[in-house]
Amino acid sequence: MIVIDGLQYSNWNRSIFEQLRQGGVTMVHATIVYHEQIRETLMRIAEWNRHFEQHGDLIMPIKSAEDIRVAKRLGKVGIMFGAQNCSPIEDDIGMVEVMRELNLMIMQLTYNNQSLLACGCYEAEDSGVTRFGRQAIKEMNRVGMVVDMSHSGERSTLEAIEISERPIVISHANPLSFHEAKRNKSDKVLKALGESGGLLGFSLYPFHLKNGPDCSLDDFCDMVASTADLMGIDRIGIGTDLCQEQPLSVLEWMRNGRWSKEMDYGEGSKSNADWPRPLSWFRDSRDFPNITNGLLARGFSPEDVAKVMGMNWLNFLDDGLKPG
Amino acid sequence: MIVIDGLQYSNWNRSIFEQLRQGGVTMVHATIVYHEQIRETLMRIAEWNRHFEQHGDLIMPIKSAEDIRVAKRLGKVGIMFGAQNCSPIEDDIGMVEVMRELNLMIMQLTYNNQSLLACGCYEAEDSGVTRFGRQAIKEMNRVGMVVDMSHSGERSTLEAIEISERPIVISHANPLSFHEAKRNKSDKVLKALGESGGLLGFSLYPFHLKNGPDCSLDDFCDMVASTADLMGIDRIGIGTDLCQEQPLSVLEWMRNGRWSKEMDYGEGSKSNADWPRPLSWFRDSRDFPNITNGLLARGFSPEDVAKVMGMNWLNFLDDGLKPG
């Protein structure tokens, strides 16, 4: 079975790569940057190049959807680069293609805040996709870089679905109907996403789940089932949002970048500022089989489980990564 | 016949691309940067991406030596990116691979001055390849980025030949024995270059030629013949150093970058500060057949002419661009 994790931002090292392989993960969309601009993004890529050099027996870079199948065949974990904010293109439309040449395959238009391209889900008011945003979506469509609206506001997300000539993704979030959180998505967004041929990756980040770290596997699988009813069984996948072995300072970087002098606690709070406690049934990438088994137990057919666990992502990327 | 120009820095536009095609040029090594650092280099690449988008009927990017044959087959002019200084890697060894991923295939270790990697041919004293330089050569060898010592000092060049595990090039210069100029190379360097499997591209920049702009085609072809005797017929090619339609400001940028408050006149002088007058028999890329015909008239066999005009470069790049 091809297993694809639609997003992780772990503190990458050999033991984490080994866990991915042990969990049967064929490919992971790895966030390489949050607020890093061009020069810093290139440093992150250079760090990944060292990982590929040193751990080439375990991992390989994903330079096309076909490489996902190659990774499966070789028994390696494919690493697909993604950005959680649009800072790697700074203010320069030409950087979309340059970053795509460096195998940045997927980029969020926003990370919680207003960006140059669109509005994040934490702003008081969402005025939609900007002028630069429209150009950037067009260029991302042209070069085959996937638009990701996981951290965007409702209006911006609906507009991006409309503007983009290719289906987009919400790589890591859950339905608002399952759990009330700024990062989760309304049925209206999910329906529009599904109808446009887009994809939702279900998050296993406790802040996005009913009962937080105590969310049961059964509840998670019920959510998958009801979302399949809403969006269609072909329009859903996994995007764990696993941030393994990251120190608190990284969480603070994700939440505050360089934009705030006061501490912003994001989905947490002053009294709950740290990383959430992990789920008992998904502690790290080795627990992917628990999701598979949970879905089978919930009554999904093996074929549908294979779709949710990876084939839907693979089919999406087969089209999504091709230059237009 | 495959015709390869081992270096140009023209003010690229559609009419210059058309001239290249009219002159039968299969591929040109295009300098994309002199003193530009990382962020600026990415802007230059983005500008080239626009050229590829707008003039895809005429030109194509060279991403491997095989692409040179593809260009020939398609009747397009292949564009191979190169840097005349090591500023695109700044102080970061990781940028060698990142730039190579962006198809920067060839890089000079120095441009006239001392660099972080080696010494240029205009410094009073050449202390050889630096500590960073040794690491950079090793990394360039690993990723398949060609070392170019055209603007380097004698000692640095000899050391680079020695240190590099792969043959290197002097993409655009002439023998010192033909014309006394800081940029031209001693027989000692040329012999070492030839014996190591390297390549010399003959320059048609008047400052590198006997009698300058009045150098005759016969004299040029005599120089090719005597260099073939010195280095071997397989170790020589063309590297015109054509800088077409460039304003004086670009010549000043090449010579002064950001390093000098006083005007440096490079190969010129205060009273001769501008671009040199072009050769009557090589005004632009349309005149490549004049070189071909000159070499045939000089008595080179058609097979040897084909080597000098392109096959030697192609054979060199077949090995040189392969990741190690």
Side-chain angles (χ1 to χ4, degrees), chain B residues 247-273:
Chain B
L248 179 58
S249 60
V250 164
L251 184 61
E252 289 172 354
W253 163 248
M254 288 158 58
R255 288 171 172 172
N256 293 275
R258 287 177 278 245
W259 63 272
S260 179
K261 283 175 73 176
E262 294 161 43
M263 182 64 77
D264 185 87
Y265 296 101
E267 294 167 297
S269 61
K270 191 167 182 176
S271 60
N272 184 23

Side-chain angles (χ1 to χ4, degrees), chain A residues 305-316:
Chain A
V305 171
K307 285 182 174 183
V308 175
M309 295 307 293
M311 282 311 291
N312 286 343
W313 263 114
L314 181 60
N315 289 335
F316 180 89

Side-chain angles (χ1 to χ4, degrees), chain A residues 38-39 42-43 45-46 49-50 53 63 90-92 94-95 97-99 101-103 139 142, chain B residues 38-39 42-43 45-46 49-50 53 90-92 94-95 97-99 101-103 139 142:
Chain A
I38 292 172
R39 176 66 180 89
L42 266 55
M43 285 173 65
I45 291 172
N49 284 339
R50 292 297 80 71
E53 212 183 331
K63 301 182 178 185
E90 294 181 4
D91 60 355
D92 187 343
M95 291 305 112
E97 185 169 13
V98 169
M99 289 296 160
E101 289 181 82
L102 291 169
N103 305 313
E139 183 69 354
R142 187 180 74 83
Chain B
I38 292 172
R39 176 66 179 88
L42 267 55
M43 284 173 67
I45 292 172
N49 284 338
R50 291 298 79 72
E53 211 184 331
E90 294 180 3
D91 59 356
D92 187 343
M95 291 305 112
E97 186 169 12
V98 169
M99 289 296 161
E101 289 182 83
L102 291 170
N103 305 313
E139 183 69 353
R142 187 180 74 83

